[in-house]
Every structure is written in structure tokens, then in C-alpha cells.
Amino acid sequence: MPATDLVTAELTLTGRITTASNATFLGSIGDVVVVYKPIAGESPLWDFPHGTLAHREVAAYLVSQAFGWDVVPQTWLRDGPMGKGMVQLWQEQDPAQSAVNLVAADQVPETGWKHVLKGRDENGRMVALVHEDSPALRRMAVFDIIVNNADRKGDHILAMTDGHRHGVDHGLTFHRDNKLRTVLWGWLGDVLTAEERDGIDRVSEGLHGGLGRNLADLLSAEEIASLAARCARLRLAGRFPPPSGEMPAVPWPLF
């Protein structure tokens, strides 16, 4: 289906995703399956301006495109049955894969996985939060630093059959203050790869051109300036940063 039809053709709702904190619906545009989040269904937050989450989701997609890593599925704004909102292409993840997991604290894999933290589960058993050690997930972690993602839960990472990893639910992004909350802390202090540095450079350059112009319709000037500052800061440091600020380092719940 041509991209223009995804904006103008009828959006039909087929179900509701009840695990989401804001109104989130499954729908279709012709034979294309989509997720629809109407602005009218956004719950007020104390630290983000009301009615801006859909715009932030689209902004995250544009930054993902600038990185060139296909982290965020195609996302756009359009009218729907409940008014204007965010629409995103549905991604069918592989149920046999999981990029983030909780394991017994004494069973953390020695290779292929990164250990994030330990704690007790609801039964008092010691468990460990781990995530896979893969280039795809590293790229997502870099993306999260740049967009200042305040809500990277394990279930916001879609493990695709071919090994690709998509990130979804980016409404809590681009705050001017540090808000990074993520389960992807496994590379803390590691040096960025050349590919990761190049991706940051593409975003920085894009902010002076088409990316910056498009983001101006979605974010405030102050938020765009903070985005540019994060790019410069991470590029200068050249490594994954530690948690900072007063916010918790991980979201809750973790999944």
C-alpha cells in the first residue's frame, strides 16, 4: 500500500491493547496491521506536557531513521476513529526469542548476555535481570541515550525472527532533563564502536537539516537543543554513560 494511503485511507479498529497505560488500539488500514494511540487517550503526566506523547513517538521514529538502524517501526501522525494520534506499523515478534530476561541469580549465562542487576522476586528468590549482548541491542541502547528514553522496559523490545530488534513505546522521550530509565545498562562504560559513533554523527548532522526541520513540528526548541547536546556529549565521551540525575536508573515494572 502506498505511504500516502496509510495517511488518508480509513483506519478501522480491531481490538484494544489493554496492557498499555494509555489508550492503545490494534487496527488496520486496508490489509496493513497498525497500532493506533489517539492523543485524546493520553493520561496526564507530571513531568511531560499533556497531549505530546504521540508527537514524541513520531519524533523517535524520525531520529531512528537518521541513525539508519531501523530501531523504531514506521510511525506517523494521522486522524483516526478517536481523533488525531500516533499510528505505527505492527510488528509480529518471535515468541521463541527474548532479548531481556529474569533468571535465577546463580544461573546468569557466562557468554552472550549482560548482567544488569540483582533482586528478589515475589517469592523472595534472588533473581538477576539480564539482556542479550548483541549489536542490534547495543544500537537500541545508543538510540535510547540520544532520545532520552524514560521507559525502556523489557517488553518494549521486540525480538524479530531474523535477529533484528525493534523498540516500541517511545512516548516518554526527548525531555530536556535527564530521564534515561532503561533495562539496557549492560554496556555501561564500554567504548562506542565506529558504527555507533557514525550513527550519532548522522543524527547531529540531520539536526542542521531536514531532521531538525521535521522535529520542529513535534518538539519544543528547548527539547531539540537538548537532543543536540546529548549527541555532542555522548560523541565526546565516546562510551556508554552511567546513570545520572535523580530519576531511578530502571523503569518499573521492568517488563
Side-chain angles (χ1 to χ4, degrees):
M1 177 177 289
T4 52
D5 288 342
L6 293 177
V7 177
T8 61
E10 182 181 5
L11 169 56
T12 302
L13 302 187
T14 57
R16 182 164 186 174
I17 301 175
T18 57
T19 54
S21 56
N22 296 295
T24 304
F25 299 90
L26 196 63
S28 62
I29 305 173
D31 59 355
V32 178
V33 180
V34 298
V35 175
Y36 166 57
K37 298 181 182 180
I39 294 173
E42 295 179 5
S43 300
L45 299 168
W46 69 269
D47 53 349
F48 282 83
H50 184 52
T52 67
L53 303 190
H55 295 77
R56 296 173 192 278
E57 295 239 31
V58 176
Y61 168 69
L62 295 178
V63 172
S64 168
Q65 289 295 100
F67 267 115
W69 298 336
D70 191 28
V71 172
V72 182
Q74 184 178 344
T75 310
W76 64 101
L77 290 172
R78 60 157 289 166
D79 288 327
M82 298 181 64
K84 189 175 183 180
M86 178 227 81
V87 178
Q88 186 175 83
L89 293 185
W90 172 261
Q91 304 297 315
E92 196 66 47
Q93 60 182 323
D94 185 351
Q97 297 188 48
S98 180
V100 182
N101 209 348
L102 284 174
V103 300
D106 60 353
Q107 295 181 12
V108 176
E110 294 185 4
T111 60
W113 292 81
K114 291 289 189 178
H115 173 252
V116 178
L117 56 82
K118 289 182 181 179
R120 294 188 182 276
D121 66 11
E122 64 274 14
N123 297 313
R125 296 172 297 195
M126 291 299 299
V127 295
L129 176 68
V130 298
H131 63 68
E132 65 182 19
D133 184 10
S134 68
L137 212 58
R138 272 185 65 118
R139 290 191 290 267
M140 188 181 298
V142 172
F143 166 83
D144 283 343
I145 295 167
I146 293 303
V147 302
N148 199 16
N149 192 351
D151 197 33
R152 176 61 74 200
K153 294 182 172 72
D155 286 346
H156 295 175
I157 300 168
L158 307 183
M160 310 307 291
T161 302
D162 62 0
H164 187 70
R165 300 311 185 228
H166 278 303
V168 296
D169 288 314
H170 296 110
L172 301 186
T173 49
F174 298 106
H175 200 285
R176 64 183 185 276
D177 301 327
N178 179 62
K179 295 279 187 179
L180 184 62
R181 289 193 299 260
T182 176
V183 296
L184 301 180
W185 286 111
W187 298 286
L188 193 155
D190 283 9
V191 175
L192 297 173
T193 66
E195 179 193 19
E196 292 158 356
R197 295 193 300 270
D198 289 345
I200 298 168
D201 289 343
R202 287 192 292 271
V203 174
S204 294
E205 293 165 4
L207 290 175
H208 297 289
L211 175 62
R213 290 190 295 272
N214 291 331
L215 290 179
D217 295 328
L218 303 166
L219 305 172
S220 70
E222 188 176 18
E223 288 167 340
I224 294 173
S226 295
L227 168 61
R230 287 191 297 274
C231 288
R233 191 161 54 245
L234 184 58
R235 190 65 172 83
L236 179 63
R239 60 182 66 241
F240 285 84
S244 63
E246 299 179 356
M247 301 299 294
V250 296
W252 189 259
L254 297 172
F255 291 86

